[in-house]
Amino acid sequence: LAQAELRRELFGRIGGALFTGVGTVFGTPGESAKIRPNVGLGVRFQVDKKQKLNIRAGYGIGVKIS
C-alpha cells in the first residue's frame, strides 16, 4: 500500500537508510486480507558516483497486529 525511505550519506561512499511501510497480506483461503506494517534499516555503498549506482542491503521486520 505505501512505503517511505530516509537516506543519508554517512561517510565517503557509505550511506544508510531507514524505511517503513504498510501492506496487505493474505492467510488461508477464505481469510480476509490483513494490513501489516514494517520497519527496517539498510546500508548502501556507492559503486559509481557519476551514475549514482549503489549496492545495498537491508533488514526489515513486520509487525503483527491482531
Side-chain angles (χ1 to χ4, degrees):
L1 294 176
Q3 183 172 332
E5 182 175 285
L6 175 64
R7 301 175 189 166
R8 290 283 184 223
E9 183 180 315
L10 300 176
F11 51 90
R13 294 179 179 221
I14 305 295
L18 297 171
F19 58 89
T20 186
V22 63
T24 305
V25 297
F26 293 90
T28 59
E31 187 180 5
S32 62
K34 294 184 171 87
I35 295 177
R36 298 281 195 251
N38 63 72
V39 295
L41 298 169
V43 63
R44 308 165 63 84
F45 177 74
Q46 193 168 58
V47 177
D48 186 343
K49 285 189 175 196
K50 185 176 181 182
Q51 296 292 322
K52 296 185 179 180
L53 177 65
N54 294 289
I55 294 176
R56 65 185 218 170
Y59 182 79
I61 59 170
V63 181
K64 185 176 180 180
I65 300 174
S66 299

